[in-house]
């Protein structure tokens, strides 16, 4: 609880209208949600940030986060719609609403929002990554790969861009390219369980079961609370 307590002490002594109050409240809200799972308290903190600064864009955007933590993408969309009613040219709100629509399998709506986000901010690699995932869900792999390529061009050291392209190759059965991209992603972030899991599945596709098992063991080690990690490993063992 260290970060929460430090931020709480600073907030209690800070002037309500000081320029730094909103970032501090948002940092505390994320600490409450991520470290402690106190999503209701996190939402209260964000709403207090808005009471302090009613037009603070970062706080308006943050209102969707507690809903997403509760797996309620529909309510998160309502918050992002509110941002867009204030500012219809806010790329980040389109990005976040598009993300929510993807979670709800509203792929056409997600494409509209993410394409709008890209039109407004064509240098944002994250929007291309997110839209690529929608194209993957629609089995439009050439378009998804084009988006991942663009994201990598914009941010060559962004591991999720490499990883999502690797996963797309896995979905397409192009296992050697999946292994290559996931290996590059792991060089950037060696503690991502999903990266090991995807590479393990790709190794399985290449009948490299010992390499697959090593990766899948690592995925379980990093995320022992995730059932799918065990399922993938068990499948690999059955093939050995």
């Amino acid at each position: 609880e260290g970060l929460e307590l430090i931020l709480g002490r600073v907030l209690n002594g800070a002037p309500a209208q000081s320029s730094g109050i909103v970032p501090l409240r948002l940092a505390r809200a994320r600490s409450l949600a991520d470290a402690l799972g106190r999503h209701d308290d996190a939402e209260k903190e964000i709403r207090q940030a808005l009471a302090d600064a009613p037009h603070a864009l970062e706080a308006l955007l943050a209102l969707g986060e507690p809903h997403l933590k509760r797996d309620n993408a529909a309510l998160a969309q309502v918050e992002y719609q509110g941002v867009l009613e204030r500012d219809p040219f806010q790329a980040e709100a389109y990005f976040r609403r598009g993300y929510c629509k993807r979670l709800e399998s509203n792929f056409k709506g997600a494409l509209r929002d993410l394409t709008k986000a890209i039109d407004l901010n064509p240098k944002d690699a994250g929007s291309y990554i997110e839209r690529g995932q929608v194209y993957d869900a629609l089995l439009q792999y050439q378009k998804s790969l084009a988006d991942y390529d663009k994201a990598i061009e914009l941010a060559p050291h962004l591991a999720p861009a490499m990883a999502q392209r690797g996963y797309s190759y896995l979905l397409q059965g192009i296992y050697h390219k999946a292994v290559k991209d996931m290996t590059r992603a792991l060089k950037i972030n060696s503690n991502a369980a999903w990266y090991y899991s995807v590479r393990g599945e790709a190794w399985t596709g290449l009948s490299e079961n010992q390499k697959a098992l090593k990766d899948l063991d690592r995925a379980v080690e990093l995320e022992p609370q995730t059932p799918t990690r065990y399922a993938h490993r068990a499948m690999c063992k059955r093939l050995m």
Side-chain angles (χ1 to χ4, degrees):
E1 295 187 6
L3 179 59
E4 179 206 353
L5 294 175
I6 291 169
L7 289 172
R9 184 162 57 250
V10 172
L11 286 169
N12 290 337
Q17 297 299 324
S18 68
S19 60
I21 193 69
V22 169
L24 286 171
R25 287 201 184 280
L26 296 184
R28 186 180 185 208
R30 286 165 184 144
S31 176
L32 288 166
D34 295 341
L36 304 174
R38 290 164 52 183
H39 305 308
D40 290 344
D41 289 338
E43 184 175 354
K44 290 177 184 176
E45 198 67 44
I46 295 167
R47 294 194 182 281
Q48 184 57 55
L50 281 169
D52 296 334
H55 302 292
L57 178 60
E58 63 268 41
L60 289 166
L61 289 168
L63 276 174
E65 295 174 14
H67 299 309
L68 290 172
K69 292 288 186 181
R70 302 187 194 102
D71 296 320
N72 195 331
L75 281 180
Q77 284 183 69
V78 172
E79 304 294 359
Y80 301 135
Q81 178 62 32
V83 175
L84 290 169
E85 288 172 1
R86 290 172 176 243
D87 180 1
F89 301 101
Q90 178 46 243
E92 182 67 18
Y94 282 109
F95 168 80
R96 295 188 185 209
R97 193 175 68 175
Y99 168 78
C100 292
K101 289 179 179 179
R102 180 177 67 82
L103 293 181
E104 294 188 316
S105 299
N106 177 5
F107 299 125
K108 289 184 179 179
L111 279 180
R112 283 194 299 270
D113 278 354
L114 293 165
T115 299
K116 182 68 173 179
I118 289 168
D119 289 344
L120 291 168
N121 184 9
K123 298 296 186 182
D124 176 38
S127 293
Y128 291 98
I129 296 170
E130 186 62 32
R131 191 174 68 175
Q133 292 179 74
V134 177
Y135 282 131
D136 277 337
L138 294 170
L139 309 183
Q140 296 181 26
Y141 295 121
Q142 291 304 312
K143 290 182 178 180
S144 70
L145 290 175
D147 273 352
Y148 299 138
D149 287 347
K150 183 62 176 179
I152 292 167
E153 176 189 326
L154 290 168
H157 302 295
L158 187 62
M162 215 78 66
Q164 285 298 155
R165 189 175 68 177
Y167 183 61
S168 183
Y169 282 130
L170 177 70
L171 294 175
Q172 298 173 64
I174 308 174
Y175 301 122
H176 66 286
K177 288 190 175 183
V179 166
K180 183 178 179 180
D181 272 350
M182 300 316 295
T183 299
R184 291 175 67 189
L186 282 163
K187 287 181 179 178
I188 300 169
N189 180 2
S190 61
N191 292 313
W194 184 65
Y195 298 179
Y196 285 103
S197 184
V198 171
R199 191 174 68 174
E201 291 182 69
W203 282 128
T204 300
L206 293 169
S207 299
E208 295 277 6
N209 293 327
Q210 290 296 336
K211 292 179 179 179
L213 185 58
K214 182 178 179 181
D215 274 350
L216 297 170
D217 280 343
R218 180 60 176 154
V220 169
E221 180 184 337
L222 288 167
E223 284 188 358
Q225 75 284 4
T226 305
T228 54
R229 304 288 174 247
Y230 296 93
H232 291 156
R233 186 172 65 177
M235 189 179 303
C236 176
K237 287 181 176 179
R238 284 198 295 271
L239 295 172
M240 296 178 73

